[in-house]
Amino acid sequence: MADRETVLLKAADLRAQFEAAGARGVEAAILQPAETLLDLYGEDIRARAYVTTDALRGEQMLRPDFTVPVVQMHMSDGAEPARYTYSGEVFRRQEHDPDRPNEFIQVGYEVFDRADPARADAEVFALISRALGDLPITASTGDIGILMAAVQGLKTDERRKQALMRHIWRPRRFRALLERFGGQRSVSEARAALLAGTGPVETDAPLIGKRTQAEIAARIDALRADHAAPRISETELSALETLLTIRETLPFALEHLRDVAVDLPSIGPALDRLEARIGALAARGVDVDHLDFEASYGRTSMEYYDGFVFGFYRQGRPDLPPLATGGRYDALTRYLGDGAEIPAVGGILRPGLILDLQESLS
C-alpha cells in the first residue's frame, strides 16, 4: 500500500491534469453540515459517515465526498459554464470489512454546462480514462435515467410511482414493490383483514409511540387506496424485467433497449440521450463497440446520480473497489439550487488504489 506522501503527490499530478484541461481548482471544508446530507440520503447516511455535534452549528459530518459541497458552491455563485477540480480526504465508516480504509484521498473533475450534456458526459469519461493511462482496467457504464423514465411512464397511480422512485437505489425493495404493485406478492392475513375494512380501526389499547390516532388512520387510508389502485400490467412488468437484465456492449444495449421501448415508450427520450452519448464518446476516441453497458449499473452505490453512470475497475477483479467512478446529477443541482438548475456531470479517482495497482504490476 502506497504511503500518504506518495498518494498526495499522485493526487496533485491528477489534479494538475484536470487543471490543464480547463478546470478551476476548488476546496471544500472537511466538516459539512449534516442536515443537507440527511435530507438527500435519509438516515441511511449515518451508517456510512462520521457524525459529530457542534454546540453552535448542530450536527456535522466528516466530508463523505466532494460533490455536494462543490454543487452548493457553484449554485451559490458559479459562472456558466464551469469546470472544477479538487483533491483531499473523504471519510467513510467501515463496519463489515476491516481491510477497507475509512479515510482516503479523492481527486475529482466536475462539469456544469447546459450546452451539450452528451458531449460533457463524454468529456468527463474520456479525461478520467486518460488519467488512468494504460493500466489493466475495465470500464462499466449505465444510465439510471432510463429506469427513472420507465417508472415515470408506468400506467399506475402517482403514489406508486413515487414509492418506486424512492427505492431505485435499493434493488431488493424496488423488486418487492414491483411484485406487490403487480399483484405477484400476497399480503399477510393481518394486512388483508386491515385492507378489507372500510372504516377506522378502533381499539381500546393505549397509544404507544409518537403517532397520533389521526396519523394512524391516515396511514391506513393510504394503504387501502394503494391496495385498490390498478395493478401494473404483466406487459409493463415483463418489459421492466427485461430492461433491468440488459448487459451488453453499448451499441447492442441500445438496440435491445429500443425493443423494450415498444412496451415502455416513456424511455424513448432517454434512449435518444444514450445514442447521442455514444456518438460523443466515439468522437472522443472511446471504443464504444467494446464498452460495457448495464442497465442496472450504479443502483447500489450512486444515489444522487440520475443519468449516465460509470466506473473503472481492475481487470478481472470487479469485487475490488473501483479506481474511478462518476456520473450525471442534474437533479442534485435543482435540489441544492433552490429551484435553479444546470446539467452537471463529474467523476472521481482514488490515487491510492491507482498506485496500489501500479505497484502490483511492477
Side-chain angles (χ1 to χ4, degrees), residues 141-209:
T141 69
D143 192 330
I144 291 174
I146 297 172
L147 179 56
M148 288 180 166
V151 169
Q152 293 289 9
L154 292 173
K155 297 181 179 67
T156 189
D157 65 17
E158 201 59 35
R159 185 191 298 270
R160 286 184 167 182
K161 292 180 186 180
Q162 290 175 0
L164 289 167
M165 290 291 287
R166 282 196 303 273
H167 293 288
I168 278 177
W169 293 274
R170 300 172 181 86
R172 289 185 180 179
R173 177 60 176 158
F174 183 86
R175 183 171 294 278
L177 286 173
L178 273 183
E179 292 174 354
R180 179 157 68 84
F181 296 161
Q184 297 178 340
R185 176 171 291 207
S186 58
V187 299
S188 66
E189 291 184 8
R191 174 167 282 200
L194 175 67
L195 296 173
T198 57
V201 175
E202 296 182 1
T203 176
D204 294 330
L207 289 176
I208 300 175

Side-chain angles (χ1 to χ4, degrees), residues 51-231:
V51 184
T52 187
T53 301
D54 184 278
L56 296 177
R57 297 173 179 82
E59 281 193 315
Q60 304 277 298
M61 286 185 183
L62 288 179
R63 182 174 61 207
D65 68 16
F66 279 86
T67 303
V68 170
V70 170
V71 172
Q72 287 178 311
M73 176 205 69
H74 177 81
M75 299 311 290
S76 174
D77 55 13
E80 293 186 23
R83 282 156 176 78
Y84 303 108
T85 185
Y86 49 81
S87 63
E89 295 90 345
V90 296
F91 305 85
R92 308 275 177 85
R93 288 173 57 182
Q94 305 293 344
E95 297 185 348
H96 305 293
D97 186 350
D99 295 326
R100 296 186 69 170
N102 56 0
E103 174 185 351
F104 50 89
I105 304 295
Q106 276 187 357
V107 180
Y109 180 75
E110 314 286 340
V111 175
F112 296 78
D113 193 341
R114 63 180 78 250
D116 190 339
R119 189 171 62 186
D121 289 346
E123 174 187 334
V124 172
F125 182 90
L127 281 175
I128 288 179
S129 177
R130 189 175 69 186
L132 291 168
D134 58 358
L135 290 172
I137 54 176
T138 57
S140 296
T141 69
D143 192 330
I144 291 174
I146 297 172
L147 179 56
M148 288 180 166
V151 169
Q152 293 289 9
L154 292 173
K155 297 181 179 67
T156 189
D157 65 17
E158 201 59 35
R159 185 191 298 270
R160 286 184 167 182
K161 292 180 186 180
Q162 290 175 0
L164 289 167
M165 290 291 287
R166 282 196 303 273
H167 293 288
I168 278 177
W169 293 274
R170 300 172 181 86
R172 289 185 180 179
R173 177 60 176 158
F174 183 86
R175 183 171 294 278
L177 286 173
L178 273 183
E179 292 174 354
R180 179 157 68 84
F181 296 161
Q184 297 178 340
R185 176 171 291 207
S186 58
V187 299
S188 66
E189 291 184 8
R191 174 167 282 200
L194 175 67
L195 296 173
T198 57
V201 175
E202 296 182 1
T203 176
D204 294 330
L207 289 176
I208 300 175
K210 294 184 177 180
R211 288 189 178 181
T212 66
Q213 187 71 45
E215 290 172 329
I216 294 171
R219 175 59 178 161
I220 292 171
D221 287 343
L223 291 172
R224 288 172 177 164
D226 174 71
H227 184 67
R231 294 179 178 179

Side-chain angles (χ1 to χ4, degrees), residues 237-285:
L237 286 176
S238 177
L240 269 173
E241 180 66 27
T242 300
L243 188 156
L244 289 169
T245 56
I246 288 175
R247 186 171 186 175
E248 305 270 5
T249 53
L250 266 175
F252 288 109
L254 178 60
E255 183 179 336
H256 202 167
L257 286 163
R258 292 289 189 195
D259 292 337
V260 173
V262 173
D263 294 317
L264 294 174
S266 61
I267 69 174
L271 299 186
D272 293 340
R273 290 190 290 272
L274 173 59
E275 185 171 11
R277 185 182 309 126
I278 293 172
L281 287 166
R284 278 269 181 173

Side-chain angles (χ1 to χ4, degrees), residues 318-341:
D319 55 307
L320 296 177
L323 280 71
T325 58
R328 176 159 292 279
Y329 49 87
D330 296 350
L332 183 61
T333 70
R334 185 185 318 121
Y335 178 85
L336 296 175
D338 294 326
E341 61 181 295

